Amino acid sequence: MLVDCDILVVGGGIAGLSLASALAGRTGVLVAEAEPTLGFHTSSRSARQLIPSYGPAVVQDLTVRTLALIRALEVHLPDPVLKARSFLLVGSEETVRDRASGHMHPIPPAQMMALAPELKPECFPAAGLDTTSVGCDTDVLMEYHRRRILDRGGRILTGSPVRSARFEPGADDAGRWITEAGEEIIASRVVVNAAGAWADQLAALYSARPRGLQPYRRTAAVVDVEHPLSENAPMVADADETFYYRAEGRQVLISPSESVPSEPMDARPRSGDVEALVELVNSVTTLGITGVVRSWTGLRTQTADGLPVVGYDDVVPGFFWLAGQGGYGFQTSSGIAELAAAMLLDGTPDSSAAEALSPARTGL
């Protein structure tokens, strides 16, 4: 039997769930996720920090909008999503100057040490601070979107990888996609490609050309330390992108900030990566890492120009891109969902972001 919906969203990470949440109750929407649980890959391996000064200008604008939208929905939730946690960028004068933008402002070394006394000052002569940055409870946000989709009549399928797709033309250039996903056959006017690291592979099933979406590895670990960070300590990142860390209760989350190309996969830490990271962080701080509690690796998928891909395919009918969020997934999720929902329901909005993120832009 055919399952009918207006819009099929393929991918149950934060991108797909945010959009389906924005669409639910306004049109018939169904989410199909290949894995047995939602947010199985990158969305469950986030640094849980939203940084308005991080990324290109259009990403920063979408981050600010996302923060406003999340703060509006928080009033309806029993638990908060956002928590005040500033972002401290450290390094040389040149690297901090090159990375600092938007909501970040330079601060003197004395203020840097007051905020992060665990740093060895001889290693970092310059710093920038973003006080608009916040921590994010990604589990609460994902559950909000999941619940909203279901409460407003949407459907969610897990364990349902897309196996095949064909387009049935209709009258007056209309038509529908017939998608086999798991055990279901789904008929939809539009298919949204929110497949993360697999976005180009999914596009091929719908006869859309790839957009050069490249997954990159990003490893993280939670460690025990001799000297825990204070509750209000900022997230600290090296401007050379060799590490970042932040408090995780009495423990500390650390990452080497690596960007190593990968095939789409369920990524795992490589032998020696976490050990080298521990050695590095111990060499530039007085945290005193004593052991690794757990570690993981996620995939951040990016285009050649580093911007997400959002909008209808310029050749294939009814195929909509929602991919390439890179390291900006959660921090742009609600803003991009709002933009994409306007495109899907009302046509192309009068927005510079729509043009900047278009799948038809030069360079993809």
Side-chain angles (χ1 to χ4, degrees):
M1 293 180 62
L2 279 178
V3 176
D4 283 304
C5 64
D6 191 44
I7 298 174
L8 167 63
V9 178
V10 180
I14 185 57
L17 283 188
S18 297
L19 176 58
S21 173
L23 293 170
R26 302 162 73 185
T27 189
V29 63
L30 185 151
V31 177
E33 164 57 42
E35 301 294 350
T37 58
L38 297 171
F40 184 89
H41 291 287
T42 304
S43 293
S44 64
R45 308 172 197 191
S46 167
R48 301 187 173 210
Q49 184 84 6
L50 311 186
I51 308 169
S53 58
Y54 179 46
V58 65
V59 167
Q60 293 186 20
D61 290 343
L62 288 165
T63 300
V64 171
R65 181 57 182 161
T66 295
L67 289 172
L69 291 168
I70 293 176
R71 288 189 174 106
L73 68 86
E74 270 187 316
V75 300
H76 305 293
L77 297 176
D79 300 303
V81 176
L82 304 179
K83 173 187 176 182
R85 183 167 61 219
S86 59
F87 177 70
L88 181 66
L89 186 70
V90 299
S92 67
E93 295 280 356
E94 181 181 6
T95 56
V96 170
R97 183 177 63 250
D98 289 346
R99 285 282 311 278
S101 62
H103 294 263
M104 180 171 287
H105 61 273
I107 60 172
Q111 187 178 356
M112 175 188 75
M113 294 306 301
L115 291 167
E118 73 280 357
L119 290 171
K120 294 182 179 179
E122 65 272 17
C123 298
F124 307 107
L129 182 66
D130 182 352
T131 57
T132 65
S133 179
V134 293
C136 177
D137 191 325
T138 57
D139 294 336
V140 171
L141 186 59
M142 291 278 286
E143 174 58 20
Y144 165 80
H145 290 310
R146 186 194 72 84
R147 187 73 260 163
R148 191 172 191 271
I149 293 164
L150 297 178
D151 288 347
R152 297 195 171 202
R155 290 191 61 188
I156 298 174
L157 304 177
T158 54
S160 299
V162 172
R163 305 183 189 281
S164 66
R166 59 185 173 86
F167 186 73
E168 289 187 346
D172 301 324
D173 294 328
R176 65 177 184 171
W177 282 103
I178 306 298
T179 301
E180 181 184 0
E183 302 300 317
E184 303 286 358
I185 299 176
I186 304 161
S188 64
R189 176 182 63 85
V190 174
V191 173
V192 175
N193 180 2
W198 287 264
D200 269 348
Q201 292 184 1
L202 181 76
L205 290 176
Y206 291 87
S207 301
R209 71 173 176 86
R211 260 45 180 197
L213 290 158
Q214 174 63 58
Y216 293 91
R217 294 171 55 84
R218 177 60 57 91
T219 299
V222 172
V223 296
D224 287 324
V225 295
E226 293 177 353
H227 307 292
L229 296 165
S230 66
E231 184 179 356
N232 60 350
M235 178 176 177
V236 177
D238 175 30
D240 281 332
E241 296 191 272
T242 58
F243 71 85
Y244 67 72
Y245 64 83
R246 65 163 177 79
E248 182 82 351
R250 297 284 294 174
Q251 298 166 326
V252 176
L253 183 148
I254 61 175
S255 172
S257 302
E258 85 275 32
S259 292
V260 179
S262 171
E263 294 297 315
M265 63 171 64
D266 184 12
R268 292 287 186 268
R270 292 176 176 173
S271 176
D273 283 0
V274 174
E275 291 79 4
L277 171 62
V278 168
E279 183 178 354
L280 172 62
V281 175
N282 272 340
S283 73
V284 297
T285 74
T286 58
L287 288 171
I289 298 173
T290 58
V292 177
V293 179
R294 62 185 184 278
S295 62
W296 63 90
T297 299
L299 296 180
R300 305 157 64 250
T301 303
Q302 291 184 316
T303 58
D305 62 10
L307 296 178
V309 185
V310 182
Y312 280 106
D313 192 271
D314 52 348
V315 175
V316 178
F319 189 77
F320 191 95
W321 291 85
L322 187 71
Q325 289 87 350
Y328 317 119
F330 274 97
Q331 76 173 46
T332 61
S333 57
S334 296
I336 285 181
E338 180 183 58
L339 176 68
M343 293 180 183
L344 289 163
L345 298 177
D346 307 321
T348 304
D350 183 14
S351 167
S352 59
E355 183 176 351
L357 307 183
S358 168
R361 68 184 185 264
T362 303
L364 292 187

